[in-house]
């Protein structure tokens, strides 16, 4: 998807621009005071920076917030499909930070974005990682073996993305998928995901990320984490159960855990303030 294809009311379109960094062209929203400490916000697989539409306004009152579409997602164009693994994205996001001349005070990651943030903190110092329904658990049993193979196969098949957009790019189907995460969302939120699902380039990027997703090495190193970590988990999350964060918090030295009742996987899109008050409280004073 090109930025021109985004509707004028797409979240933070006016505050976003294309930034060439390394092998990618990142679509990046830059909000808040330019002289304030910087937060890096990372969305999850299959989403885009739009998912922080309710979170950014609260954070941007105190911080400069840098929110990119991940490589291959939304309006970010990947220059090399082999750079969609956890390690590669962490490296390339540091290249983006260098290009923008920023050093994040904290990285706030949703779902897979939290895993990327933790990997970034292994590569260079980051004072604080905040995970929102962090995807810090592997699939069990046969799914652990079959899921990446299926995703890799779909990612390499000609016209697979087009077929997927035709099959899933229906309002009722997207609504059922979102409801299945525990977060049905409002009509505006559903429409934004529908637009993403209908874009073959976005679907190709999400498939490529899933195909190359190898999480176990990071999970094995969690007990060696030296960064401050806060995990925020929703008890109604049907995509990444709260138990995943509970288990991860036990393995990360000094990790703080907050459990949210009722909310689902997209808790930051359900709540009016996008969880910004809880995030700011976790961050303390800028």
């Amino acid at each position: 998807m090109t930025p021109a294809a985004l509707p004028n009311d797409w979240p933070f379109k006016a505050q976003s621009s294309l930034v060439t960094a390394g092998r990618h062209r990142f679509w990046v929203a830059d909000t808040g005071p330019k002289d304030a400490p910087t937060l890096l916000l990372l969305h999850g697989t299959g989403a885009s920076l739009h998912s922080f539409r309710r979170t950014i306004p609260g954070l941007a009152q105190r911080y400069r917030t840098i929110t990119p579409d991940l490589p291959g997602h939304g309006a970010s164009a990947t220059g090399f499909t082999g750079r969609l693994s956890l390690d590669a994205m962490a490296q390339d996001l540091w290249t983006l930070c260098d290009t923008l001349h920023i050093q994040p005070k904290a990285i706030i990651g949703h779902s897979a974005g939290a895993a990327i943030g933790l990997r970034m903190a292994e590569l260079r110092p980051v004072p604080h990682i905040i995970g929102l329904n962090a995807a810090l658990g592997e699939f069990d049993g046969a799914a652990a073996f079959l899921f990446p193979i299926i995703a890799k196969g779909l990612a390499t098949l000609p016209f697979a993305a087009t077929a997927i957009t035709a099959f899933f790019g229906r309002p009722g189907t997207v609504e059922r998928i979102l409801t299945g995460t525990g977060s049905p969302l409002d009509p505006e939120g559903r429409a934004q995901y529908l637009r993403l699902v209908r874009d073959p380039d976005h679907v190709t990027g999400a498939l490529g990320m899933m195909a190359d997703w190898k999480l176990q090495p990071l999970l094995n190193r969690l007990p060696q984490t030296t960064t401050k970590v806060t995990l925020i988990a929703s008890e109604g999350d049907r995509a990444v159960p709260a138990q995943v964060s509970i288990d991860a918090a036990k393995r990360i030295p000094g990790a703080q855990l907050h459990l949210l009742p009722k909310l689902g996987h997209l808790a930051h899109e359900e709540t009016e303030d996008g969880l910004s008050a809880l995030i700011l409280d976790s961050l303390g004073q800028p």
Side-chain angles (χ1 to χ4, degrees):
M1 182 187 301
T2 63
L6 296 173
N8 289 333
D9 62 352
W10 192 257
F12 307 104
K13 183 176 181 179
Q15 294 82 28
S16 301
S17 61
L18 281 174
V19 178
T20 299
R23 306 182 187 189
H24 307 294
R25 281 184 297 126
F26 288 94
W27 180 244
V28 183
D30 187 346
T31 61
K34 297 300 182 285
D35 59 348
T38 302
L39 303 178
L40 179 66
L41 278 62
L42 303 177
H43 65 78
T45 311
S48 76
L49 68 83
H50 87 277
S51 69
F52 292 108
R53 66 191 184 280
R54 294 182 173 180
T55 311
I56 290 174
L59 300 182
Q61 293 180 27
R62 300 189 195 175
Y63 293 93
R64 181 183 183 185
T65 65
I66 299 295
T67 315
D69 284 347
L70 292 180
H73 288 66
S76 284
T78 178
F80 185 58
T81 55
R83 302 294 297 177
L84 296 177
S85 68
L86 174 60
D87 288 352
M89 283 191 291
Q91 294 164 6
D92 292 342
L93 283 163
W94 274 126
T95 300
L96 173 64
C97 291
D98 291 342
T99 301
L100 295 173
H101 305 292
I102 63 167
Q103 174 63 41
K105 173 184 174 67
I107 298 175
I108 294 95
H110 172 249
S111 195
I116 298 171
L118 283 168
R119 181 65 183 121
M120 289 179 69
E122 291 184 325
L123 300 177
R124 298 191 199 175
V126 179
H128 198 169
I129 301 293
I130 298 179
L132 310 179
N133 291 314
L136 297 177
E138 288 279 24
F139 291 100
D140 294 327
F145 175 73
L146 292 174
F147 184 78
I149 293 177
I150 293 171
K152 190 179 291 291
L154 289 172
T156 56
L157 279 175
F159 312 116
T162 302
I164 290 172
T165 60
F167 183 80
F168 288 102
R170 305 170 187 172
T173 303
V174 169
E175 183 174 356
R176 287 193 295 274
I177 292 172
L178 292 172
T179 300
T181 70
S183 298
L185 297 190
D186 59 14
E188 180 183 15
R190 295 197 299 271
Q192 288 162 350
Y193 277 101
L194 179 62
R195 180 173 290 275
L196 291 176
V197 171
R198 285 177 169 174
D199 183 75
D201 291 337
H202 174 82
V203 172
T204 298
L207 284 173
M209 181 176 171
M210 289 186 287
D212 290 340
W213 195 247
K214 295 179 178 63
L215 191 61
Q216 194 58 52
L218 176 68
L219 299 182
N220 292 341
R221 295 190 299 268
L222 289 182
Q224 285 76 55
T225 302
T226 57
T227 300
K228 180 180 180 182
V229 175
T230 300
L231 298 178
I232 300 171
S234 303
E235 294 180 333
D237 190 340
R238 301 178 191 170
V240 180
Q243 190 63 46
V244 171
S245 290
I246 294 171
D247 292 342
K250 293 176 181 177
R251 303 186 64 225
I252 299 173
Q256 299 293 311
L257 176 67
H258 297 277
L259 294 178
L260 306 175
K262 299 181 180 179
L263 296 171
H265 188 58
L266 305 175
H268 60 305
E269 299 191 58
E270 294 182 77
T271 53
E272 185 174 348
D273 75 337
L275 301 180
S276 61
L278 179 55
I279 293 170
L280 288 171
D281 184 63
S282 299
L283 290 169
Q285 293 298 317

PDB file of all heavy atoms in Angstrom, residues 43-44 51-55 110-111 132-133 183 185 193 234 260 263-276 279:
ATOM      1  N   HIS A  43       3.664  -1.897  16.445  1.00  0.00           N
ATOM      2  CA  HIS A  43       2.425  -2.659  16.359  1.00  0.00           C
ATOM      3  C   HIS A  43       2.707  -4.145  16.152  1.00  0.00           C
ATOM      4  O   HIS A  43       3.861  -4.566  15.987  1.00  0.00           O
ATOM      5  CB  HIS A  43       1.543  -2.121  15.230  1.00  0.00           C
ATOM      6  CG  HIS A  43       2.138  -2.288  13.856  1.00  0.00           C
ATOM      7  ND1 HIS A  43       2.125  -3.485  13.176  1.00  0.00           N
ATOM      8  CD2 HIS A  43       2.763  -1.398  13.029  1.00  0.00           C
ATOM      9  CE1 HIS A  43       2.697  -3.341  12.000  1.00  0.00           C
ATOM     10  NE2 HIS A  43       3.116  -2.074  11.887  1.00  0.00           N
ATOM     11  N   GLY A  44       1.656  -4.945  16.146  1.00  0.00           N
ATOM     12  CA  GLY A  44       1.797  -6.386  15.984  1.00  0.00           C
ATOM     13  C   GLY A  44       1.623  -6.839  14.552  1.00  0.00           C
ATOM     14  O   GLY A  44       1.353  -6.045  13.636  1.00  0.00           O
ATOM     15  N   SER A  51      -3.094   1.211  14.804  1.00  0.00           N
ATOM     16  CA  SER A  51      -3.602   0.541  16.000  1.00  0.00           C
ATOM     17  C   SER A  51      -3.326   1.345  17.267  1.00  0.00           C
ATOM     18  O   SER A  51      -3.936   1.099  18.307  1.00  0.00           O
ATOM     19  CB  SER A  51      -3.010  -0.867  16.124  1.00  0.00           C
ATOM     20  OG  SER A  51      -1.639  -0.830  16.425  1.00  0.00           O
ATOM     21  N   PHE A  52      -2.429   2.343  17.180  1.00  0.00           N
ATOM     22  CA  PHE A  52      -2.143   3.197  18.328  1.00  0.00           C
ATOM     23  C   PHE A  52      -2.884   4.536  18.236  1.00  0.00           C
ATOM     24  O   PHE A  52      -2.484   5.512  18.866  1.00  0.00           O
ATOM     25  CB  PHE A  52      -0.638   3.459  18.430  1.00  0.00           C
ATOM     26  CG  PHE A  52       0.168   2.245  18.798  1.00  0.00           C
ATOM     27  CD1 PHE A  52       0.981   1.620  17.849  1.00  0.00           C
ATOM     28  CD2 PHE A  52       0.122   1.712  20.076  1.00  0.00           C
ATOM     29  CE1 PHE A  52       1.731   0.497  18.179  1.00  0.00           C
ATOM     30  CE2 PHE A  52       0.867   0.597  20.419  1.00  0.00           C
ATOM     31  CZ  PHE A  52       1.665  -0.018  19.470  1.00  0.00           C
ATOM     32  N   ARG A  53      -3.967   4.569  17.456  1.00  0.00           N
ATOM     33  CA  ARG A  53      -4.665   5.832  17.226  1.00  0.00           C
ATOM     34  C   ARG A  53      -5.197   6.456  18.516  1.00  0.00           C
ATOM     35  O   ARG A  53      -5.281   7.683  18.626  1.00  0.00           O
ATOM     36  CB  ARG A  53      -5.814   5.626  16.231  1.00  0.00           C
ATOM     37  CG  ARG A  53      -6.946   4.750  16.729  1.00  0.00           C
ATOM     38  CD  ARG A  53      -7.909   4.374  15.584  1.00  0.00           C
ATOM     39  NE  ARG A  53      -9.054   3.616  16.057  1.00  0.00           N
ATOM     40  CZ  ARG A  53      -9.039   2.316  16.334  1.00  0.00           C
ATOM     41  NH1 ARG A  53      -7.894   1.642  16.199  1.00  0.00           N
ATOM     42  NH2 ARG A  53     -10.124   1.698  16.750  1.00  0.00           N
ATOM     43  N   ARG A  54      -5.541   5.620  19.504  1.00  0.00           N
ATOM     44  CA  ARG A  54      -6.046   6.142  20.772  1.00  0.00           C
ATOM     45  C   ARG A  54      -4.930   6.292  21.811  1.00  0.00           C
ATOM     46  O   ARG A  54      -5.123   6.984  22.812  1.00  0.00           O
ATOM     47  CB  ARG A  54      -7.135   5.220  21.319  1.00  0.00           C
ATOM     48  CG  ARG A  54      -8.392   5.192  20.457  1.00  0.00           C
ATOM     49  CD  ARG A  54      -9.454   4.309  21.074  1.00  0.00           C
ATOM     50  NE  ARG A  54     -10.712   4.408  20.346  1.00  0.00           N
ATOM     51  CZ  ARG A  54     -11.828   3.743  20.661  1.00  0.00           C
ATOM     52  NH1 ARG A  54     -11.816   2.927  21.713  1.00  0.00           N
ATOM     53  NH2 ARG A  54     -12.927   3.888  19.961  1.00  0.00           N
ATOM     54  N   THR A  55      -3.814   5.663  21.581  1.00  0.00           N
ATOM     55  CA  THR A  55      -2.700   5.681  22.537  1.00  0.00           C
ATOM     56  C   THR A  55      -1.824   6.905  22.356  1.00  0.00           C
ATOM     57  O   THR A  55      -1.399   7.542  23.333  1.00  0.00           O
ATOM     58  CB  THR A  55      -1.839   4.415  22.367  1.00  0.00           C
ATOM     59  OG1 THR A  55      -2.674   3.257  22.347  1.00  0.00           O
ATOM     60  CG2 THR A  55      -0.814   4.286  23.478  1.00  0.00           C
ATOM     61  N   HIS A 110       3.062  -3.847  20.954  1.00  0.00           N
ATOM     62  CA  HIS A 110       1.862  -4.673  21.083  1.00  0.00           C
ATOM     63  C   HIS A 110       2.100  -6.021  20.432  1.00  0.00           C
ATOM     64  O   HIS A 110       2.621  -6.097  19.322  1.00  0.00           O
ATOM     65  CB  HIS A 110       0.651  -4.005  20.428  1.00  0.00           C
ATOM     66  CG  HIS A 110      -0.548  -4.885  20.366  1.00  0.00           C
ATOM     67  ND1 HIS A 110      -1.048  -5.391  19.182  1.00  0.00           N
ATOM     68  CD2 HIS A 110      -1.335  -5.405  21.350  1.00  0.00           C
ATOM     69  CE1 HIS A 110      -2.091  -6.163  19.441  1.00  0.00           C
ATOM     70  NE2 HIS A 110      -2.285  -6.180  20.752  1.00  0.00           N
ATOM     71  N   SER A 111       1.749  -7.100  21.122  1.00  0.00           N
ATOM     72  CA  SER A 111       1.808  -8.455  20.589  1.00  0.00           C
ATOM     73  C   SER A 111       3.222  -8.768  20.087  1.00  0.00           C
ATOM     74  O   SER A 111       4.181  -8.695  20.839  1.00  0.00           O
ATOM     75  CB  SER A 111       0.752  -8.628  19.492  1.00  0.00           C
ATOM     76  OG  SER A 111       0.539  -9.976  19.181  1.00  0.00           O
ATOM     77  N   LEU A 132       2.307  -4.809  25.473  1.00  0.00           N
ATOM     78  CA  LEU A 132       0.851  -4.868  25.544  1.00  0.00           C
ATOM     79  C   LEU A 132       0.405  -6.199  24.952  1.00  0.00           C
ATOM     80  O   LEU A 132       0.575  -6.429  23.754  1.00  0.00           O
ATOM     81  CB  LEU A 132       0.222  -3.709  24.763  1.00  0.00           C
ATOM     82  CG  LEU A 132       0.765  -2.298  25.053  1.00  0.00           C
ATOM     83  CD1 LEU A 132       0.058  -1.277  24.171  1.00  0.00           C
ATOM     84  CD2 LEU A 132       0.593  -1.937  26.524  1.00  0.00           C
ATOM     85  N   ASN A 133      -0.131  -7.077  25.790  1.00  0.00           N
ATOM     86  CA  ASN A 133      -0.497  -8.421  25.337  1.00  0.00           C
ATOM     87  C   ASN A 133       0.628  -9.011  24.491  1.00  0.00           C
ATOM     88  O   ASN A 133       0.440  -9.411  23.340  1.00  0.00           O
ATOM     89  CB  ASN A 133      -1.832  -8.396  24.575  1.00  0.00           C
ATOM     90  CG  ASN A 133      -2.998  -8.104  25.501  1.00  0.00           C
ATOM     91  OD1 ASN A 133      -3.106  -8.690  26.582  1.00  0.00           O
ATOM     92  ND2 ASN A 133      -3.863  -7.187  25.107  1.00  0.00           N
ATOM     93  N   SER A 183     -11.612  -8.682  21.075  1.00  0.00           N
ATOM     94  CA  SER A 183     -11.730  -7.234  20.867  1.00  0.00           C
ATOM     95  C   SER A 183     -12.569  -6.968  19.621  1.00  0.00           C
ATOM     96  O   SER A 183     -12.027  -6.852  18.511  1.00  0.00           O
ATOM     97  CB  SER A 183     -10.347  -6.591  20.707  1.00  0.00           C
ATOM     98  OG  SER A 183      -9.555  -6.761  21.860  1.00  0.00           O
ATOM     99  N   LEU A 185     -14.077  -4.305  18.579  1.00  0.00           N
ATOM    100  CA  LEU A 185     -13.801  -2.950  18.088  1.00  0.00           C
ATOM    101  C   LEU A 185     -15.067  -2.247  17.585  1.00  0.00           C
ATOM    102  O   LEU A 185     -16.086  -2.866  17.301  1.00  0.00           O
ATOM    103  CB  LEU A 185     -12.729  -2.960  16.980  1.00  0.00           C
ATOM    104  CG  LEU A 185     -11.346  -3.452  17.373  1.00  0.00           C
ATOM    105  CD1 LEU A 185     -10.342  -3.160  16.244  1.00  0.00           C
ATOM    106  CD2 LEU A 185     -10.857  -2.847  18.684  1.00  0.00           C
ATOM    107  N   TYR A 193      -9.060  -2.129   9.749  1.00  0.00           N
ATOM    108  CA  TYR A 193      -8.504  -3.465   9.516  1.00  0.00           C
ATOM    109  C   TYR A 193      -9.002  -4.036   8.192  1.00  0.00           C
ATOM    110  O   TYR A 193      -8.257  -4.744   7.497  1.00  0.00           O
ATOM    111  CB  TYR A 193      -8.841  -4.405  10.672  1.00  0.00           C
ATOM    112  CG  TYR A 193      -7.883  -4.254  11.824  1.00  0.00           C
ATOM    113  CD1 TYR A 193      -8.237  -3.527  12.957  1.00  0.00           C
ATOM    114  CD2 TYR A 193      -6.602  -4.799  11.775  1.00  0.00           C
ATOM    115  CE1 TYR A 193      -7.345  -3.358  14.011  1.00  0.00           C
ATOM    116  CE2 TYR A 193      -5.704  -4.643  12.820  1.00  0.00           C
ATOM    117  CZ  TYR A 193      -6.081  -3.921  13.932  1.00  0.00           C
ATOM    118  OH  TYR A 193      -5.187  -3.748  14.964  1.00  0.00           O
ATOM    119  N   SER A 234      -4.356  -8.623  28.995  1.00  0.00           N
ATOM    120  CA  SER A 234      -5.814  -8.599  29.112  1.00  0.00           C
ATOM    121  C   SER A 234      -6.341  -9.994  29.429  1.00  0.00           C
ATOM    122  O   SER A 234      -6.008 -10.964  28.731  1.00  0.00           O
ATOM    123  CB  SER A 234      -6.438  -8.113  27.798  1.00  0.00           C
ATOM    124  OG  SER A 234      -5.945  -6.843  27.441  1.00  0.00           O
ATOM    125  N   LEU A 260      -5.493  -6.722  33.053  1.00  0.00           N
ATOM    126  CA  LEU A 260      -6.675  -5.920  32.764  1.00  0.00           C
ATOM    127  C   LEU A 260      -7.889  -6.844  32.634  1.00  0.00           C
ATOM    128  O   LEU A 260      -7.875  -7.764  31.810  1.00  0.00           O
ATOM    129  CB  LEU A 260      -6.487  -5.142  31.456  1.00  0.00           C
ATOM    130  CG  LEU A 260      -5.233  -4.273  31.352  1.00  0.00           C
ATOM    131  CD1 LEU A 260      -5.130  -3.677  29.951  1.00  0.00           C
ATOM    132  CD2 LEU A 260      -5.258  -3.176  32.404  1.00  0.00           C
ATOM    133  N   LEU A 263     -10.986  -6.901  28.927  1.00  0.00           N
ATOM    134  CA  LEU A 263     -10.506  -6.448  27.620  1.00  0.00           C
ATOM    135  C   LEU A 263      -9.857  -7.586  26.847  1.00  0.00           C
ATOM    136  O   LEU A 263      -9.407  -8.578  27.409  1.00  0.00           O
ATOM    137  CB  LEU A 263      -9.515  -5.302  27.792  1.00  0.00           C
ATOM    138  CG  LEU A 263     -10.085  -4.024  28.401  1.00  0.00           C
ATOM    139  CD1 LEU A 263      -8.967  -3.042  28.722  1.00  0.00           C
ATOM    140  CD2 LEU A 263     -11.110  -3.394  27.476  1.00  0.00           C
ATOM    141  N   GLY A 264      -9.759  -7.412  25.499  1.00  0.00           N
ATOM    142  CA  GLY A 264      -9.213  -8.442  24.638  1.00  0.00           C
ATOM    143  C   GLY A 264      -7.815  -8.118  24.137  1.00  0.00           C
ATOM    144  O   GLY A 264      -7.106  -7.267  24.692  1.00  0.00           O
ATOM    145  N   HIS A 265      -7.420  -8.793  23.045  1.00  0.00           N
ATOM    146  CA  HIS A 265      -6.062  -8.669  22.528  1.00  0.00           C
ATOM    147  C   HIS A 265      -5.747  -7.248  22.085  1.00  0.00           C
ATOM    148  O   HIS A 265      -4.610  -6.797  22.193  1.00  0.00           O
ATOM    149  CB  HIS A 265      -5.870  -9.637  21.353  1.00  0.00           C
ATOM    150  CG  HIS A 265      -4.463  -9.738  20.867  1.00  0.00           C
ATOM    151  ND1 HIS A 265      -3.426 -10.123  21.682  1.00  0.00           N
ATOM    152  CD2 HIS A 265      -3.905  -9.482  19.639  1.00  0.00           C
ATOM    153  CE1 HIS A 265      -2.290 -10.123  20.997  1.00  0.00           C
ATOM    154  NE2 HIS A 265      -2.556  -9.725  19.763  1.00  0.00           N
ATOM    155  N   LEU A 266      -6.733  -6.541  21.581  1.00  0.00           N
ATOM    156  CA  LEU A 266      -6.532  -5.169  21.106  1.00  0.00           C
ATOM    157  C   LEU A 266      -7.019  -4.179  22.155  1.00  0.00           C
ATOM    158  O   LEU A 266      -7.722  -3.222  21.855  1.00  0.00           O
ATOM    159  CB  LEU A 266      -7.269  -4.961  19.784  1.00  0.00           C
ATOM    160  CG  LEU A 266      -6.918  -5.956  18.666  1.00  0.00           C
ATOM    161  CD1 LEU A 266      -7.803  -5.734  17.447  1.00  0.00           C
ATOM    162  CD2 LEU A 266      -5.448  -5.854  18.282  1.00  0.00           C
ATOM    163  N   ALA A 267      -6.612  -4.409  23.396  1.00  0.00           N
ATOM    164  CA  ALA A 267      -7.081  -3.579  24.508  1.00  0.00           C
ATOM    165  C   ALA A 267      -6.806  -2.102  24.277  1.00  0.00           C
ATOM    166  O   ALA A 267      -7.611  -1.234  24.634  1.00  0.00           O
ATOM    167  CB  ALA A 267      -6.416  -4.039  25.801  1.00  0.00           C
ATOM    168  N   HIS A 268      -5.662  -1.793  23.674  1.00  0.00           N
ATOM    169  CA  HIS A 268      -5.317  -0.389  23.439  1.00  0.00           C
ATOM    170  C   HIS A 268      -6.189   0.249  22.370  1.00  0.00           C
ATOM    171  O   HIS A 268      -6.218   1.483  22.248  1.00  0.00           O
ATOM    172  CB  HIS A 268      -3.838  -0.261  23.055  1.00  0.00           C
ATOM    173  CG  HIS A 268      -3.454  -0.996  21.814  1.00  0.00           C
ATOM    174  ND1 HIS A 268      -3.694  -2.340  21.635  1.00  0.00           N
ATOM    175  CD2 HIS A 268      -2.847  -0.578  20.667  1.00  0.00           C
ATOM    176  CE1 HIS A 268      -3.246  -2.709  20.450  1.00  0.00           C
ATOM    177  NE2 HIS A 268      -2.735  -1.666  19.846  1.00  0.00           N
ATOM    178  N   GLU A 269      -6.901  -0.572  21.605  1.00  0.00           N
ATOM    179  CA  GLU A 269      -7.845  -0.035  20.633  1.00  0.00           C
ATOM    180  C   GLU A 269      -9.264  -0.006  21.178  1.00  0.00           C
ATOM    181  O   GLU A 269     -10.138   0.639  20.587  1.00  0.00           O
ATOM    182  CB  GLU A 269      -7.794  -0.844  19.341  1.00  0.00           C
ATOM    183  CG  GLU A 269      -6.435  -0.814  18.664  1.00  0.00           C
ATOM    184  CD  GLU A 269      -6.471  -1.392  17.258  1.00  0.00           C
ATOM    185  OE1 GLU A 269      -7.247  -0.879  16.428  1.00  0.00           O
ATOM    186  OE2 GLU A 269      -5.732  -2.368  16.996  1.00  0.00           O
ATOM    187  N   GLU A 270      -9.505  -0.700  22.251  1.00  0.00           N
ATOM    188  CA  GLU A 270     -10.829  -0.721  22.869  1.00  0.00           C
ATOM    189  C   GLU A 270     -11.030   0.426  23.839  1.00  0.00           C
ATOM    190  O   GLU A 270     -12.120   0.998  23.920  1.00  0.00           O
ATOM    191  CB  GLU A 270     -11.033  -2.034  23.634  1.00  0.00           C
ATOM    192  CG  GLU A 270     -11.089  -3.288  22.792  1.00  0.00           C
ATOM    193  CD  GLU A 270     -11.334  -4.510  23.655  1.00  0.00           C
ATOM    194  OE1 GLU A 270     -12.486  -4.713  24.080  1.00  0.00           O
ATOM    195  OE2 GLU A 270     -10.360  -5.245  23.934  1.00  0.00           O
ATOM    196  N   THR A 271      -9.993   0.750  24.615  1.00  0.00           N
ATOM    197  CA  THR A 271     -10.132   1.750  25.669  1.00  0.00           C
ATOM    198  C   THR A 271     -10.060   3.158  25.096  1.00  0.00           C
ATOM    199  O   THR A 271      -9.394   3.412  24.086  1.00  0.00           O
ATOM    200  CB  THR A 271      -9.025   1.577  26.719  1.00  0.00           C
ATOM    201  OG1 THR A 271      -7.751   1.565  26.068  1.00  0.00           O
ATOM    202  CG2 THR A 271      -9.212   0.270  27.473  1.00  0.00           C
ATOM    203  N   GLU A 272     -10.760   4.068  25.747  1.00  0.00           N
ATOM    204  CA  GLU A 272     -10.866   5.433  25.227  1.00  0.00           C
ATOM    205  C   GLU A 272      -9.517   6.121  25.119  1.00  0.00           C
ATOM    206  O   GLU A 272      -9.257   6.856  24.161  1.00  0.00           O
ATOM    207  CB  GLU A 272     -11.811   6.249  26.122  1.00  0.00           C
ATOM    208  CG  GLU A 272     -12.093   7.644  25.593  1.00  0.00           C
ATOM    209  CD  GLU A 272     -13.135   8.375  26.425  1.00  0.00           C
ATOM    210  OE1 GLU A 272     -13.798   7.729  27.256  1.00  0.00           O
ATOM    211  OE2 GLU A 272     -13.275   9.598  26.240  1.00  0.00           O
ATOM    212  N   ASP A 273      -8.634   5.882  26.099  1.00  0.00           N
ATOM    213  CA  ASP A 273      -7.334   6.556  26.077  1.00  0.00           C
ATOM    214  C   ASP A 273      -6.224   5.681  25.516  1.00  0.00           C
ATOM    215  O   ASP A 273      -5.046   6.049  25.577  1.00  0.00           O
ATOM    216  CB  ASP A 273      -6.946   7.040  27.477  1.00  0.00           C
ATOM    217  CG  ASP A 273      -6.474   5.912  28.392  1.00  0.00           C
ATOM    218  OD1 ASP A 273      -6.834   4.743  28.134  1.00  0.00           O
ATOM    219  OD2 ASP A 273      -5.751   6.198  29.366  1.00  0.00           O
ATOM    220  N   GLY A 274      -6.571   4.521  24.980  1.00  0.00           N
ATOM    221  CA  GLY A 274      -5.565   3.647  24.387  1.00  0.00           C
ATOM    222  C   GLY A 274      -4.546   3.121  25.371  1.00  0.00           C
ATOM    223  O   GLY A 274      -3.422   2.787  24.988  1.00  0.00           O
ATOM    224  N   LEU A 275      -4.922   3.058  26.652  1.00  0.00           N
ATOM    225  CA  LEU A 275      -4.034   2.631  27.742  1.00  0.00           C
ATOM    226  C   LEU A 275      -2.905   3.623  28.008  1.00  0.00           C
ATOM    227  O   LEU A 275      -1.946   3.312  28.711  1.00  0.00           O
ATOM    228  CB  LEU A 275      -3.433   1.238  27.485  1.00  0.00           C
ATOM    229  CG  LEU A 275      -4.425   0.080  27.299  1.00  0.00           C
ATOM    230  CD1 LEU A 275      -3.656  -1.221  27.052  1.00  0.00           C
ATOM    231  CD2 LEU A 275      -5.337  -0.069  28.502  1.00  0.00           C
ATOM    232  N   SER A 276      -3.029   4.833  27.465  1.00  0.00           N
ATOM    233  CA  SER A 276      -1.932   5.795  27.620  1.00  0.00           C
ATOM    234  C   SER A 276      -1.708   6.182  29.079  1.00  0.00           C
ATOM    235  O   SER A 276      -0.554   6.382  29.491  1.00  0.00           O
ATOM    236  CB  SER A 276      -2.192   7.039  26.766  1.00  0.00           C
ATOM    237  OG  SER A 276      -3.388   7.696  27.148  1.00  0.00           O
ATOM    238  N   ILE A 279       0.298   3.429  30.656  1.00  0.00           N
ATOM    239  CA  ILE A 279       1.654   3.454  30.120  1.00  0.00           C
ATOM    240  C   ILE A 279       2.452   4.596  30.731  1.00  0.00           C
ATOM    241  O   ILE A 279       3.598   4.426  31.160  1.00  0.00           O
ATOM    242  CB  ILE A 279       1.621   3.573  28.579  1.00  0.00           C
ATOM    243  CG1 ILE A 279       1.034   2.300  27.957  1.00  0.00           C
ATOM    244  CG2 ILE A 279       3.020   3.838  28.024  1.00  0.00           C
ATOM    245  CD1 ILE A 279       0.741   2.417  26.478  1.00  0.00           C
TER     246      ILE A 279
END
